[in-house]
Amino acid sequence: MGVSGTLEYLSDLLSSTKKKKKKQLNTVAVKIRMDCEGCARKVKKTLSGVKGAKSVDVDMKQQKATVHGYVDAKKVLKAAKETKKKVEPWPYVPYTMVAHPYVAGVYDKKAPPNFVRATTDPAVANLDPVEEQYTLMFSDENPNACSVM
């Protein structure tokens, strides 16, 4: 092993230690119990202290806090739990994203308007081909649809 081989080895060794994994810009939403403006200020101050947080939005009406920045969801949840409030990841999606929004386990009376709980059940989340055919048959957007009503 000559001088050039030794230099290559040292160069590879040094370059591998300098590489850092870059974090991606993230938006993390959490559902957090807030009763008053003081609670909202406390949550906003705590979540602003998370390393990498660029901005924090707090919505008391929806009981939601959103953190934008180079943050990790687990770290945001951990910081939110430090406020001694009831915290969970934001469980809601727009009801148009779910095929059957009124099925038990998906419909939630406490959800904000036009939102339902997210589900991973494929039977609830997606329409099967027959259901999709019936939906299109009676759709207002289909000019050849049945006009019984």
Side-chain angles (χ1 to χ4, degrees), residues 97-112:
M97 300 294 291
V98 179
H100 303 285
Y102 298 107
V103 173
V106 175
Y107 181 73
D108 186 0
K109 285 192 241 182
K110 295 178 183 177

Side-chain angles (χ1 to χ4, degrees), residues 7-140:
L7 290 175
E8 283 182 40
Y9 172 75
L10 289 174
S11 153
D12 290 341
L13 185 66
L14 290 175
S15 67
S16 65
T17 58
K18 287 184 180 178
K19 290 184 183 176
K20 283 190 175 181
K21 187 177 180 183
K22 290 194 175 193
K23 290 187 179 181
Q24 290 189 348
L25 190 62
N26 242 352
T27 300
V28 179
V30 291
K31 181 179 179 183
I32 186 165
R33 176 75 187 226
M34 295 175 283
D35 298 320
C36 62
E37 288 295 325
C39 295
R41 267 194 312 274
K42 183 178 180 180
V43 168
K44 187 168 185 165
K45 182 179 177 185
T46 304
L47 294 179
S48 296
V50 174
K51 185 177 178 181
K54 297 293 180 198
S55 68
V56 178
D57 299 323
V58 175
D59 186 354
M60 276 189 47
K61 186 175 181 182
Q62 290 187 352
Q63 303 285 306
K64 179 181 182 181
T66 308
V67 181
H68 303 283
Y70 299 97
V71 293
D72 182 32
K74 291 179 184 177
K75 288 183 181 179
V76 171
L77 277 174
K78 184 178 177 185
K81 287 180 182 177
E82 289 174 2
T83 62
K84 308 274 193 286
K85 306 276 181 207
K86 184 180 176 188
V87 178
E88 64 179 301
W90 185 250
Y92 303 117
V93 295
Y95 81 96
T96 55
M97 300 294 291
V98 179
H100 303 285
Y102 298 107
V103 173
V106 175
Y107 181 73
D108 186 0
K109 285 192 241 182
K110 295 178 183 177
N114 300 323
F115 283 91
V116 294
R117 280 203 173 265
T119 182
T120 57
D121 184 8
V124 175
N126 303 324
L127 288 174
D128 63 26
V130 175
E131 287 178 325
E132 190 170 353
Q133 198 173 21
Y134 284 129
T135 303
L136 292 174
M137 188 184 309
F138 293 101
S139 172
D140 290 336

